Amino acid sequence: MVSRYGVTTRQKEAKVLKQKNAKYECPKCGKKAVKRKGTALWNCKSCGAVIAGGAYRPETAVGATARKTIESLKQARG
Ligand SMILES: [Zn+2]
């Protein structure tokens, strides 16, 4: 039995994968060098900023939270 649901899921997965592998603009330095580091974690290859955002793409709308995360990471590193 062929599942109709399976086709839809695969199409969705392809779309998500494309977003995951894409580079995004850094809210800090403005360069398109932000790559996914982990779930909801993004890292800018240019300035080294760590951005907490959406699971599959950075969400600049949560900039305040991201800044907090960056500050706490900096403090943890010393
Ligand atoms: Zn940057």
Side-chain angles (χ1 to χ4, degrees), residues 45-61:
K45 296 281 169 196
S46 182
C47 71
V50 178
I51 301 121
Y56 297 111
R57 62 191 176 89
E59 278 163 29
T60 46

Side-chain angles (χ1 to χ4, degrees), residues 26-31 33-34 44-49 51:
C26 174
K28 235 187 152 184
C29 69
K31 282 180 187 169
V34 175
C44 176
K45 296 281 169 196
S46 182
C47 71
I51 301 121

Side-chain angles (χ1 to χ4, degrees), residues 6-57:
V7 177
T8 320
T9 310
R10 233 172 291 149
Q11 281 172 345
K12 272 184 190 168
E13 272 174 11
K15 212 176 173 185
V16 165
L17 271 170
K18 221 175 169 184
Q19 287 186 331
K20 267 163 82 175
N21 295 325
K23 278 181 187 169
Y24 290 92
E25 207 170 280
C26 174
K28 235 187 152 184
C29 69
K31 282 180 187 169
K32 249 192 175 178
V34 175
K35 282 198 92 179
R36 194 170 177 271
K37 207 182 172 195
T39 307
L41 254 189
W42 302 80
N43 182 230
C44 176
K45 296 281 169 196
S46 182
C47 71
V50 178
I51 301 121
Y56 297 111
R57 62 191 176 89

